[in-house]
């Protein structure tokens, strides 16, 4: 097979991928800007996959280097474990000395701000986007969506398998118990657990 045929095949594959991505974008009314969506669909997801799952200290170094380039801000001494997935990393800010646990999922259409010295356990999910569902005569999927930022203060500890929903703010020094669903703001130095998360006491 000559190089001309190879180039032709690659060009056809690229055109087909762009056509499918465009159809997907329009069908599901993706709220990301189209150029970014296309770049992510064609290139960024593949690069992020290999970086996110690279093992050992080399993987840690690659993730830190990669996200310093594409994220809004990544501070000093930040650790990002294997399997973390960032949607719209350019809207994510991580403060100094913070750690992101294994297989976290951060959807940051509305922006995610993580303070300094924050500890986030494995399998934590942050979702800044929610569906609009006010009307009953229109399918939820067709009503669109809205995004609000998630803000995590300094010195916060978020336990494994927790979920933080759009618009919540977790105050400085707060603790979120494992498996909690955070739907409302959590005050400073509060310890909150449950679904939905409720304050059970404050750190002394």
């Amino acid at each position: 097979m000559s190089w001309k045929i190879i180039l032709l095949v690659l060009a056809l594959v690229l055109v087909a991928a762009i056509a499918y991505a465009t159809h997907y974008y329009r069908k599901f009314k993706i709220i990301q800007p189209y150029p970014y969506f296309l770049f992510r669909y064609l290139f960024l997801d593949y690069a992020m996959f290999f970086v996110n799952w690279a093992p050992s200290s080399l993987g840690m170094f690659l993730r830190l280097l990669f996200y310093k380039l594409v994220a809004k801000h990544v501070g000093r001494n930040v650790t990002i474990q294997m399997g973390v997935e960032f949607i719209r990393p350019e809207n994510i800010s991580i403060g100094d000395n913070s750690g992101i646990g294994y297989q976290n999922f951060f959807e940051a259409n509305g922006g995610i701000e993580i303070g300094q010295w924050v500890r986030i356990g494995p399998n934590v999910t942050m979702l800044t986007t929610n569906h609009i569902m006010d009307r009953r005569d229109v399918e939820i999927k067709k009503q669109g969506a809205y995004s609000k930022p998630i803000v995590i203060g300094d010195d916060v500890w978020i336990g494994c398998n927790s979920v933080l929903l759009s618009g919540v703010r977790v105050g400085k020094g707060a603790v979120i118990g494992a498996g909690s669903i955070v739907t409302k703001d959590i005050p400073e130095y509060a310890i909150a657990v449950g679904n939905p998360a409720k304050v059970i006491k404050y750190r002394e």
Side-chain angles (χ1 to χ4, degrees):
M1 182 180 294
S2 70
W3 64 270
K4 291 183 180 180
I5 296 177
I6 294 175
L7 287 179
L8 178 60
V9 171
L10 291 176
L12 291 174
V13 170
L14 180 60
V15 169
I18 292 174
Y20 181 82
T22 302
H23 173 74
Y24 185 90
Y25 183 86
R26 292 173 178 171
K27 178 179 179 181
F28 292 100
K29 296 180 173 60
I30 307 298
I31 63 175
Q32 298 174 4
Y34 179 73
Y36 175 84
F37 171 80
L38 188 61
F39 171 71
R40 175 181 172 80
Y41 182 88
L42 295 175
F43 303 108
L44 189 57
D45 279 351
Y46 297 98
M48 291 172 67
F49 176 82
F50 290 108
V51 169
N52 289 344
W53 288 98
S56 70
S57 57
L58 174 61
M60 196 81 71
F61 171 78
L62 289 175
R63 283 185 287 276
L64 188 59
L65 178 63
F66 182 77
Y67 286 113
K68 277 184 176 291
L69 293 174
V70 301
K72 181 178 180 180
H73 172 74
V74 175
R76 296 172 299 163
N77 301 320
V78 169
T79 57
I80 302 174
Q81 300 291 349
M82 290 174 57
V84 172
E85 184 173 359
F86 291 159
I87 306 297
R88 299 295 298 274
E90 72 274 16
N91 295 334
I92 296 177
S93 176
I94 306 173
D96 296 344
N97 305 301
S98 290
I100 311 299
Y102 293 94
Q103 299 186 45
N104 279 209
F105 178 82
F106 294 170
E107 175 272 297
N109 286 315
I112 294 176
E113 181 180 337
I114 298 171
Q116 301 181 41
W117 295 101
V118 174
R119 316 313 299 167
I120 300 178
N123 299 305
V124 170
T125 299
M126 297 189 191
L127 303 170
T128 68
T129 300
N130 207 344
H131 291 286
I132 297 170
M133 52 184 176
D134 298 332
R135 299 178 58 182
R136 294 195 291 182
D137 60 330
V138 178
E139 291 83 357
I140 292 174
K141 185 173 123 177
K142 296 180 180 179
Q143 296 186 48
Y146 64 90
S147 297
K148 293 182 179 180
I150 293 174
V151 179
I152 310 297
D154 296 339
D155 192 31
V156 167
W157 176 20
I158 301 175
C160 65
N161 297 308
S162 295
V163 178
L164 284 73
L165 300 182
S166 61
V168 301
R169 292 174 175 264
V170 180
K172 178 180 179 181
V175 176
I176 308 299
S180 298
I181 311 295
V182 182
T183 61
K184 296 181 180 179
D185 293 355
I186 304 298
E188 293 186 356
Y189 300 105
I191 299 176
V193 299
N195 178 14
K198 295 181 179 179
V199 176
I200 58 171
K201 63 179 181 179
Y202 287 82
R203 295 173 58 196
E204 296 179 358

